[in-house]
Amino acid sequence: MQNLRLSLPKTAFAHNLIFLISFFAAPKIYLVSDLGLRPEYMLYPVTFLLFLLVLPSLGHLNLRRVNHAVIAYFAYVSIQGIILSFYTGGLKYLAVITLKQLQYFIFFYLLLYTFRFPALKEKTLKFISFLVGATLAWALIQIIIGHRAYFSRRIGQQEPSYGIGAIGETFPHQAAVIFLFCFIFSYFYTRMRFRKIFMPLSAAAVFMTGSRTTIIALGVCAIYLIATHPAFKKLFKNPALALALIAGISIFGFAANRTLINNEALFYGNVKSRLTFSRLSIGLDKRLRVWENHFIREPFSTYRPLNFATGMGRGYTNTQTDMWVLTSDSGYLRDLIEIGILGTFLHFLIFFRAGQDIGFKKYLVVLLPYMSLSVTIEVLLLARSGMVIMILTAIMLSMNNNQNKESATPTALRQERRA
């Protein structure tokens, strides 16, 4: 039993590396029509078993507020969903969506567990750095050769993407989310080599996917970083320097734009055309119609006041089309329709609690872009984006000095040396 306990950190570490490879590099697998599975889902039995084994040790993480929020959210979603699924017929969707989202949180805790051991934490961060480098290298190659990715919404339906894709993901938004992760990770992990190159390359990769929502989210993140940087205040004290900086950025942007157009970079023109005012208006109008349709549909509209409070159960929106595809085009709307105001509060309470432990000024670098993405994408239920925010949250919690000090019990320190 003692040998099992001593090898558990390394076992969890090996599992986490396999999981990360699957997350970054493995493509979606269609075993059933319209049900795109990820290889990491195949790890679920091992993932869950490891979680049960490390569960007694998670008390050392000192995340009581986060833990309570996670338990309250999943208890509410499960109980409310089971009761209502007999009325809506959404039991199968409830089960799959809840289990999939639960895996994000299980992996989150497994990462935090291995991060308690300095050697394993450093190896994990270096491995993620390697995956980030490989991902951005593939992005750079695509940008240079003008590659345009193809993706499948379901079996046998290949569609041209707006722009480039990631190694294991060609769907525009999901690929862009991976590149956004690369940007935020490069910003926080200051010990990573080439981070000053990776950050602008990540931003360029997000832009070249053509995912408008992720481009806006990246912009929100960048504006926040600039506005909170100490040097930003100095610009107001030196107007000449501020004007020179603005002029320099404008000239560089204009020159880059003309160069790409003159070289007949068709893929750049395609991405750029998606950002015109007319195309943005069309996209917004389309989403507004989708959102309105959910509120006037039966049976939600019949008991609308009550449903606003309690929701119709997770997976209810899928029952309208009897398909596994996302249907709400908004994380906030889907939560409001499916789990109501109470469930939505519990859902986002998890991340606000994490922000309390990390420090909101620091955590907003992650939270702001993902709250922005949630306006038009069901972010926290998507395989890539839902996992990304959990990985980043685990990394930032582990970087919190107070949390590390509180978790460093004598037993943990002995295990750290052995790991």
PDB file of all heavy atoms in Angstrom, residues 371-404:
ATOM      1  N   MET A 371     -15.098  35.082 -20.567  1.00  0.00           N
ATOM      2  CA  MET A 371     -16.437  35.649 -20.392  1.00  0.00           C
ATOM      3  C   MET A 371     -16.880  36.338 -21.683  1.00  0.00           C
ATOM      4  O   MET A 371     -18.058  36.322 -22.031  1.00  0.00           O
ATOM      5  CB  MET A 371     -16.442  36.620 -19.222  1.00  0.00           C
ATOM      6  CG  MET A 371     -16.257  35.943 -17.874  1.00  0.00           C
ATOM      7  SD  MET A 371     -16.455  37.060 -16.467  1.00  0.00           S
ATOM      8  CE  MET A 371     -18.230  37.296 -16.500  1.00  0.00           C
ATOM      9  N   SER A 372     -15.931  36.930 -22.403  1.00  0.00           N
ATOM     10  CA  SER A 372     -16.236  37.539 -23.701  1.00  0.00           C
ATOM     11  C   SER A 372     -16.635  36.474 -24.714  1.00  0.00           C
ATOM     12  O   SER A 372     -17.614  36.620 -25.445  1.00  0.00           O
ATOM     13  CB  SER A 372     -15.014  38.321 -24.197  1.00  0.00           C
ATOM     14  OG  SER A 372     -15.188  38.748 -25.528  1.00  0.00           O
ATOM     15  N   LEU A 373     -15.892  35.369 -24.742  1.00  0.00           N
ATOM     16  CA  LEU A 373     -16.206  34.267 -25.666  1.00  0.00           C
ATOM     17  C   LEU A 373     -17.589  33.686 -25.396  1.00  0.00           C
ATOM     18  O   LEU A 373     -18.297  33.266 -26.314  1.00  0.00           O
ATOM     19  CB  LEU A 373     -15.163  33.158 -25.527  1.00  0.00           C
ATOM     20  CG  LEU A 373     -13.810  33.364 -26.199  1.00  0.00           C
ATOM     21  CD1 LEU A 373     -12.846  32.258 -25.782  1.00  0.00           C
ATOM     22  CD2 LEU A 373     -13.953  33.370 -27.711  1.00  0.00           C
ATOM     23  N   SER A 374     -17.979  33.657 -24.134  1.00  0.00           N
ATOM     24  CA  SER A 374     -19.253  33.033 -23.758  1.00  0.00           C
ATOM     25  C   SER A 374     -20.465  33.761 -24.311  1.00  0.00           C
ATOM     26  O   SER A 374     -21.562  33.206 -24.327  1.00  0.00           O
ATOM     27  CB  SER A 374     -19.362  32.940 -22.227  1.00  0.00           C
ATOM     28  OG  SER A 374     -18.407  32.038 -21.714  1.00  0.00           O
ATOM     29  N   VAL A 375     -20.284  35.009 -24.764  1.00  0.00           N
ATOM     30  CA  VAL A 375     -21.417  35.752 -25.327  1.00  0.00           C
ATOM     31  C   VAL A 375     -21.942  35.057 -26.577  1.00  0.00           C
ATOM     32  O   VAL A 375     -23.158  34.977 -26.794  1.00  0.00           O
ATOM     33  CB  VAL A 375     -21.005  37.203 -25.651  1.00  0.00           C
ATOM     34  CG1 VAL A 375     -22.128  37.932 -26.379  1.00  0.00           C
ATOM     35  CG2 VAL A 375     -20.620  37.945 -24.383  1.00  0.00           C
ATOM     36  N   THR A 376     -21.055  34.526 -27.407  1.00  0.00           N
ATOM     37  CA  THR A 376     -21.475  33.936 -28.679  1.00  0.00           C
ATOM     38  C   THR A 376     -21.082  32.468 -28.841  1.00  0.00           C
ATOM     39  O   THR A 376     -21.358  31.878 -29.888  1.00  0.00           O
ATOM     40  CB  THR A 376     -20.883  34.730 -29.858  1.00  0.00           C
ATOM     41  OG1 THR A 376     -19.461  34.794 -29.709  1.00  0.00           O
ATOM     42  CG2 THR A 376     -21.443  36.144 -29.906  1.00  0.00           C
ATOM     43  N   ILE A 377     -20.412  31.883 -27.860  1.00  0.00           N
ATOM     44  CA  ILE A 377     -19.997  30.482 -27.944  1.00  0.00           C
ATOM     45  C   ILE A 377     -20.289  29.802 -26.614  1.00  0.00           C
ATOM     46  O   ILE A 377     -20.120  30.397 -25.555  1.00  0.00           O
ATOM     47  CB  ILE A 377     -18.481  30.366 -28.254  1.00  0.00           C
ATOM     48  CG1 ILE A 377     -18.150  31.007 -29.610  1.00  0.00           C
ATOM     49  CG2 ILE A 377     -18.045  28.901 -28.255  1.00  0.00           C
ATOM     50  CD1 ILE A 377     -18.666  30.249 -30.803  1.00  0.00           C
ATOM     51  N   GLU A 378     -20.688  28.537 -26.671  1.00  0.00           N
ATOM     52  CA  GLU A 378     -20.946  27.774 -25.447  1.00  0.00           C
ATOM     53  C   GLU A 378     -19.622  27.270 -24.884  1.00  0.00           C
ATOM     54  O   GLU A 378     -19.335  26.069 -24.833  1.00  0.00           O
ATOM     55  CB  GLU A 378     -21.919  26.636 -25.762  1.00  0.00           C
ATOM     56  CG  GLU A 378     -23.290  27.162 -26.194  1.00  0.00           C
ATOM     57  CD  GLU A 378     -24.081  26.159 -27.007  1.00  0.00           C
ATOM     58  OE1 GLU A 378     -24.417  25.097 -26.449  1.00  0.00           O
ATOM     59  OE2 GLU A 378     -24.365  26.433 -28.186  1.00  0.00           O
ATOM     60  N   VAL A 379     -18.818  28.223 -24.434  1.00  0.00           N
ATOM     61  CA  VAL A 379     -17.410  28.014 -24.115  1.00  0.00           C
ATOM     62  C   VAL A 379     -17.177  26.907 -23.098  1.00  0.00           C
ATOM     63  O   VAL A 379     -16.387  25.987 -23.324  1.00  0.00           O
ATOM     64  CB  VAL A 379     -16.786  29.330 -23.592  1.00  0.00           C
ATOM     65  CG1 VAL A 379     -15.387  29.097 -23.053  1.00  0.00           C
ATOM     66  CG2 VAL A 379     -16.750  30.353 -24.711  1.00  0.00           C
ATOM     67  N   LEU A 380     -17.853  26.971 -21.967  1.00  0.00           N
ATOM     68  CA  LEU A 380     -17.521  26.092 -20.857  1.00  0.00           C
ATOM     69  C   LEU A 380     -18.005  24.665 -21.056  1.00  0.00           C
ATOM     70  O   LEU A 380     -17.680  23.777 -20.266  1.00  0.00           O
ATOM     71  CB  LEU A 380     -18.098  26.675 -19.565  1.00  0.00           C
ATOM     72  CG  LEU A 380     -17.565  28.073 -19.220  1.00  0.00           C
ATOM     73  CD1 LEU A 380     -18.253  28.610 -17.990  1.00  0.00           C
ATOM     74  CD2 LEU A 380     -16.066  28.066 -19.044  1.00  0.00           C
ATOM     75  N   LEU A 381     -18.775  24.403 -22.126  1.00  0.00           N
ATOM     76  CA  LEU A 381     -19.218  23.043 -22.430  1.00  0.00           C
ATOM     77  C   LEU A 381     -18.476  22.449 -23.615  1.00  0.00           C
ATOM     78  O   LEU A 381     -18.651  21.267 -23.922  1.00  0.00           O
ATOM     79  CB  LEU A 381     -20.730  23.032 -22.705  1.00  0.00           C
ATOM     80  CG  LEU A 381     -21.628  23.426 -21.535  1.00  0.00           C
ATOM     81  CD1 LEU A 381     -23.082  23.359 -21.942  1.00  0.00           C
ATOM     82  CD2 LEU A 381     -21.375  22.553 -20.318  1.00  0.00           C
ATOM     83  N   LEU A 382     -17.669  23.254 -24.308  1.00  0.00           N
ATOM     84  CA  LEU A 382     -16.903  22.756 -25.447  1.00  0.00           C
ATOM     85  C   LEU A 382     -15.654  22.031 -24.962  1.00  0.00           C
ATOM     86  O   LEU A 382     -15.026  22.444 -23.983  1.00  0.00           O
ATOM     87  CB  LEU A 382     -16.497  23.903 -26.371  1.00  0.00           C
ATOM     88  CG  LEU A 382     -17.610  24.530 -27.208  1.00  0.00           C
ATOM     89  CD1 LEU A 382     -17.093  25.767 -27.929  1.00  0.00           C
ATOM     90  CD2 LEU A 382     -18.143  23.538 -28.226  1.00  0.00           C
ATOM     91  N   ALA A 383     -15.281  20.976 -25.673  1.00  0.00           N
ATOM     92  CA  ALA A 383     -14.162  20.153 -25.229  1.00  0.00           C
ATOM     93  C   ALA A 383     -12.878  20.955 -25.092  1.00  0.00           C
ATOM     94  O   ALA A 383     -12.183  20.881 -24.082  1.00  0.00           O
ATOM     95  CB  ALA A 383     -13.963  18.993 -26.204  1.00  0.00           C
ATOM     96  N   ARG A 384     -12.513  21.724 -26.108  1.00  0.00           N
ATOM     97  CA  ARG A 384     -11.246  22.450 -26.079  1.00  0.00           C
ATOM     98  C   ARG A 384     -11.309  23.649 -25.138  1.00  0.00           C
ATOM     99  O   ARG A 384     -10.485  23.787 -24.240  1.00  0.00           O
ATOM    100  CB  ARG A 384     -10.875  22.928 -27.488  1.00  0.00           C
ATOM    101  CG  ARG A 384     -10.765  21.826 -28.524  1.00  0.00           C
ATOM    102  CD  ARG A 384      -9.542  20.970 -28.318  1.00  0.00           C
ATOM    103  NE  ARG A 384      -9.362  20.050 -29.434  1.00  0.00           N
ATOM    104  CZ  ARG A 384      -8.406  19.123 -29.509  1.00  0.00           C
ATOM    105  NH1 ARG A 384      -7.550  18.995 -28.534  1.00  0.00           N
ATOM    106  NH2 ARG A 384      -8.330  18.333 -30.554  1.00  0.00           N
ATOM    107  N   SER A 385     -12.276  24.528 -25.351  1.00  0.00           N
ATOM    108  CA  SER A 385     -12.312  25.761 -24.574  1.00  0.00           C
ATOM    109  C   SER A 385     -12.650  25.499 -23.109  1.00  0.00           C
ATOM    110  O   SER A 385     -12.121  26.167 -22.213  1.00  0.00           O
ATOM    111  CB  SER A 385     -13.315  26.743 -25.189  1.00  0.00           C
ATOM    112  OG  SER A 385     -14.564  26.121 -25.385  1.00  0.00           O
ATOM    113  N   GLY A 386     -13.530  24.529 -22.846  1.00  0.00           N
ATOM    114  CA  GLY A 386     -13.860  24.201 -21.470  1.00  0.00           C
ATOM    115  C   GLY A 386     -12.657  23.668 -20.710  1.00  0.00           C
ATOM    116  O   GLY A 386     -12.471  23.979 -19.526  1.00  0.00           O
ATOM    117  N   MET A 387     -11.829  22.876 -21.387  1.00  0.00           N
ATOM    118  CA  MET A 387     -10.633  22.340 -20.742  1.00  0.00           C
ATOM    119  C   MET A 387      -9.553  23.397 -20.581  1.00  0.00           C
ATOM    120  O   MET A 387      -8.828  23.435 -19.575  1.00  0.00           O
ATOM    121  CB  MET A 387     -10.090  21.158 -21.554  1.00  0.00           C
ATOM    122  CG  MET A 387      -8.865  20.497 -20.945  1.00  0.00           C
ATOM    123  SD  MET A 387      -9.166  19.863 -19.286  1.00  0.00           S
ATOM    124  CE  MET A 387     -10.223  18.468 -19.644  1.00  0.00           C
ATOM    125  N   VAL A 388      -9.451  24.308 -21.554  1.00  0.00           N
ATOM    126  CA  VAL A 388      -8.407  25.329 -21.526  1.00  0.00           C
ATOM    127  C   VAL A 388      -8.501  26.186 -20.273  1.00  0.00           C
ATOM    128  O   VAL A 388      -7.495  26.442 -19.595  1.00  0.00           O
ATOM    129  CB  VAL A 388      -8.483  26.214 -22.793  1.00  0.00           C
ATOM    130  CG1 VAL A 388      -7.780  27.539 -22.562  1.00  0.00           C
ATOM    131  CG2 VAL A 388      -7.824  25.510 -23.967  1.00  0.00           C
ATOM    132  N   ILE A 389      -9.694  26.653 -19.950  1.00  0.00           N
ATOM    133  CA  ILE A 389      -9.819  27.536 -18.788  1.00  0.00           C
ATOM    134  C   ILE A 389      -9.507  26.788 -17.498  1.00  0.00           C
ATOM    135  O   ILE A 389      -8.948  27.362 -16.547  1.00  0.00           O
ATOM    136  CB  ILE A 389     -11.222  28.183 -18.726  1.00  0.00           C
ATOM    137  CG1 ILE A 389     -11.228  29.306 -17.684  1.00  0.00           C
ATOM    138  CG2 ILE A 389     -12.305  27.171 -18.449  1.00  0.00           C
ATOM    139  CD1 ILE A 389     -12.478  30.162 -17.709  1.00  0.00           C
ATOM    140  N   MET A 390      -9.787  25.469 -17.446  1.00  0.00           N
ATOM    141  CA  MET A 390      -9.463  24.699 -16.255  1.00  0.00           C
ATOM    142  C   MET A 390      -7.955  24.500 -16.121  1.00  0.00           C
ATOM    143  O   MET A 390      -7.409  24.556 -15.013  1.00  0.00           O
ATOM    144  CB  MET A 390     -10.166  23.335 -16.292  1.00  0.00           C
ATOM    145  CG  MET A 390     -11.691  23.394 -16.324  1.00  0.00           C
ATOM    146  SD  MET A 390     -12.446  24.527 -15.126  1.00  0.00           S
ATOM    147  CE  MET A 390     -11.786  23.922 -13.595  1.00  0.00           C
ATOM    148  N   ILE A 391      -7.266  24.264 -17.238  1.00  0.00           N
ATOM    149  CA  ILE A 391      -5.801  24.113 -17.198  1.00  0.00           C
ATOM    150  C   ILE A 391      -5.152  25.410 -16.735  1.00  0.00           C
ATOM    151  O   ILE A 391      -4.270  25.422 -15.862  1.00  0.00           O
ATOM    152  CB  ILE A 391      -5.260  23.696 -18.578  1.00  0.00           C
ATOM    153  CG1 ILE A 391      -5.748  22.296 -18.953  1.00  0.00           C
ATOM    154  CG2 ILE A 391      -3.722  23.719 -18.586  1.00  0.00           C
ATOM    155  CD1 ILE A 391      -5.379  21.870 -20.362  1.00  0.00           C
ATOM    156  N   LEU A 392      -5.593  26.530 -17.319  1.00  0.00           N
ATOM    157  CA  LEU A 392      -5.019  27.821 -16.941  1.00  0.00           C
ATOM    158  C   LEU A 392      -5.316  28.144 -15.481  1.00  0.00           C
ATOM    159  O   LEU A 392      -4.461  28.687 -14.763  1.00  0.00           O
ATOM    160  CB  LEU A 392      -5.579  28.922 -17.843  1.00  0.00           C
ATOM    161  CG  LEU A 392      -5.062  28.927 -19.285  1.00  0.00           C
ATOM    162  CD1 LEU A 392      -5.872  29.891 -20.144  1.00  0.00           C
ATOM    163  CD2 LEU A 392      -3.581  29.301 -19.332  1.00  0.00           C
ATOM    164  N   THR A 393      -6.515  27.810 -15.012  1.00  0.00           N
ATOM    165  CA  THR A 393      -6.871  28.072 -13.616  1.00  0.00           C
ATOM    166  C   THR A 393      -6.007  27.242 -12.678  1.00  0.00           C
ATOM    167  O   THR A 393      -5.533  27.741 -11.639  1.00  0.00           O
ATOM    168  CB  THR A 393      -8.360  27.761 -13.376  1.00  0.00           C
ATOM    169  OG1 THR A 393      -9.162  28.560 -14.252  1.00  0.00           O
ATOM    170  CG2 THR A 393      -8.761  28.055 -11.939  1.00  0.00           C
ATOM    171  N   ALA A 394      -5.769  25.976 -13.030  1.00  0.00           N
ATOM    172  CA  ALA A 394      -4.905  25.120 -12.202  1.00  0.00           C
ATOM    173  C   ALA A 394      -3.488  25.678 -12.142  1.00  0.00           C
ATOM    174  O   ALA A 394      -2.856  25.707 -11.078  1.00  0.00           O
ATOM    175  CB  ALA A 394      -4.896  23.700 -12.762  1.00  0.00           C
ATOM    176  N   ILE A 395      -2.965  26.116 -13.278  1.00  0.00           N
ATOM    177  CA  ILE A 395      -1.611  26.677 -13.317  1.00  0.00           C
ATOM    178  C   ILE A 395      -1.518  27.918 -12.437  1.00  0.00           C
ATOM    179  O   ILE A 395      -0.568  28.085 -11.660  1.00  0.00           O
ATOM    180  CB  ILE A 395      -1.206  27.002 -14.771  1.00  0.00           C
ATOM    181  CG1 ILE A 395      -1.025  25.707 -15.570  1.00  0.00           C
ATOM    182  CG2 ILE A 395       0.084  27.823 -14.808  1.00  0.00           C
ATOM    183  CD1 ILE A 395      -0.836  25.926 -17.059  1.00  0.00           C
ATOM    184  N   MET A 396      -2.518  28.792 -12.526  1.00  0.00           N
ATOM    185  CA  MET A 396      -2.473  30.040 -11.771  1.00  0.00           C
ATOM    186  C   MET A 396      -2.663  29.801 -10.274  1.00  0.00           C
ATOM    187  O   MET A 396      -2.041  30.468  -9.448  1.00  0.00           O
ATOM    188  CB  MET A 396      -3.529  31.004 -12.312  1.00  0.00           C
ATOM    189  CG  MET A 396      -3.256  31.434 -13.736  1.00  0.00           C
ATOM    190  SD  MET A 396      -4.449  32.626 -14.369  1.00  0.00           S
ATOM    191  CE  MET A 396      -3.987  34.073 -13.440  1.00  0.00           C
ATOM    192  N   LEU A 397      -3.509  28.847  -9.908  1.00  0.00           N
ATOM    193  CA  LEU A 397      -3.661  28.511  -8.491  1.00  0.00           C
ATOM    194  C   LEU A 397      -2.361  27.954  -7.928  1.00  0.00           C
ATOM    195  O   LEU A 397      -1.987  28.251  -6.791  1.00  0.00           O
ATOM    196  CB  LEU A 397      -4.792  27.496  -8.305  1.00  0.00           C
ATOM    197  CG  LEU A 397      -6.216  28.046  -8.358  1.00  0.00           C
ATOM    198  CD1 LEU A 397      -7.222  26.908  -8.426  1.00  0.00           C
ATOM    199  CD2 LEU A 397      -6.510  28.935  -7.152  1.00  0.00           C
ATOM    200  N   SER A 398      -1.656  27.160  -8.731  1.00  0.00           N
ATOM    201  CA  SER A 398      -0.398  26.581  -8.267  1.00  0.00           C
ATOM    202  C   SER A 398       0.685  27.637  -8.141  1.00  0.00           C
ATOM    203  O   SER A 398       1.665  27.451  -7.411  1.00  0.00           O
ATOM    204  CB  SER A 398       0.069  25.477  -9.228  1.00  0.00           C
ATOM    205  OG  SER A 398       0.543  26.022 -10.449  1.00  0.00           O
ATOM    206  N   MET A 399       0.538  28.744  -8.866  1.00  0.00           N
ATOM    207  CA  MET A 399       1.523  29.827  -8.795  1.00  0.00           C
ATOM    208  C   MET A 399       1.247  30.770  -7.620  1.00  0.00           C
ATOM    209  O   MET A 399       2.043  31.666  -7.345  1.00  0.00           O
ATOM    210  CB  MET A 399       1.509  30.631 -10.098  1.00  0.00           C
ATOM    211  CG  MET A 399       2.079  29.887 -11.286  1.00  0.00           C
ATOM    212  SD  MET A 399       2.010  30.889 -12.802  1.00  0.00           S
ATOM    213  CE  MET A 399       2.878  29.801 -13.955  1.00  0.00           C
ATOM    214  N   ASN A 400       0.120  30.563  -6.953  1.00  0.00           N
ATOM    215  CA  ASN A 400      -0.223  31.408  -5.818  1.00  0.00           C
ATOM    216  C   ASN A 400       0.657  31.034  -4.630  1.00  0.00           C
ATOM    217  O   ASN A 400       0.594  29.916  -4.120  1.00  0.00           O
ATOM    218  CB  ASN A 400      -1.703  31.217  -5.476  1.00  0.00           C
ATOM    219  CG  ASN A 400      -2.165  32.154  -4.392  1.00  0.00           C
ATOM    220  OD1 ASN A 400      -1.682  32.112  -3.267  1.00  0.00           O
ATOM    221  ND2 ASN A 400      -3.121  32.996  -4.730  1.00  0.00           N
ATOM    222  N   ASN A 401       1.487  31.947  -4.197  1.00  0.00           N
ATOM    223  CA  ASN A 401       2.463  31.644  -3.154  1.00  0.00           C
ATOM    224  C   ASN A 401       1.807  31.238  -1.844  1.00  0.00           C
ATOM    225  O   ASN A 401       2.271  30.324  -1.156  1.00  0.00           O
ATOM    226  CB  ASN A 401       3.363  32.863  -2.910  1.00  0.00           C
ATOM    227  CG  ASN A 401       4.281  33.141  -4.076  1.00  0.00           C
ATOM    228  OD1 ASN A 401       4.682  32.222  -4.778  1.00  0.00           O
ATOM    229  ND2 ASN A 401       4.610  34.401  -4.289  1.00  0.00           N
ATOM    230  N   ASN A 402       0.702  31.895  -1.482  1.00  0.00           N
ATOM    231  CA  ASN A 402       0.036  31.563  -0.232  1.00  0.00           C
ATOM    232  C   ASN A 402      -0.498  30.146  -0.245  1.00  0.00           C
ATOM    233  O   ASN A 402      -0.369  29.406   0.725  1.00  0.00           O
ATOM    234  CB  ASN A 402      -1.112  32.539   0.032  1.00  0.00           C
ATOM    235  CG  ASN A 402      -0.598  33.933   0.348  1.00  0.00           C
ATOM    236  OD1 ASN A 402       0.516  34.082   0.843  1.00  0.00           O
ATOM    237  ND2 ASN A 402      -1.398  34.936   0.050  1.00  0.00           N
ATOM    238  N   GLN A 403      -1.087  29.760  -1.386  1.00  0.00           N
ATOM    239  CA  GLN A 403      -1.646  28.414  -1.492  1.00  0.00           C
ATOM    240  C   GLN A 403      -0.545  27.365  -1.427  1.00  0.00           C
ATOM    241  O   GLN A 403      -0.686  26.318  -0.805  1.00  0.00           O
ATOM    242  CB  GLN A 403      -2.430  28.285  -2.806  1.00  0.00           C
ATOM    243  CG  GLN A 403      -3.186  26.967  -2.962  1.00  0.00           C
ATOM    244  CD  GLN A 403      -2.390  25.933  -3.738  1.00  0.00           C
ATOM    245  OE1 GLN A 403      -1.722  26.254  -4.716  1.00  0.00           O
ATOM    246  NE2 GLN A 403      -2.452  24.709  -3.298  1.00  0.00           N
ATOM    247  N   ASN A 404       0.596  27.652  -2.064  1.00  0.00           N
ATOM    248  CA  ASN A 404       1.712  26.708  -2.048  1.00  0.00           C
ATOM    249  C   ASN A 404       2.257  26.535  -0.639  1.00  0.00           C
ATOM    250  O   ASN A 404       2.603  25.431  -0.221  1.00  0.00           O
ATOM    251  CB  ASN A 404       2.827  27.194  -2.984  1.00  0.00           C
ATOM    252  CG  ASN A 404       2.470  26.977  -4.440  1.00  0.00           C
ATOM    253  OD1 ASN A 404       1.620  26.150  -4.752  1.00  0.00           O
ATOM    254  ND2 ASN A 404       3.109  27.714  -5.331  1.00  0.00           N
TER     255      ASN A 404
END
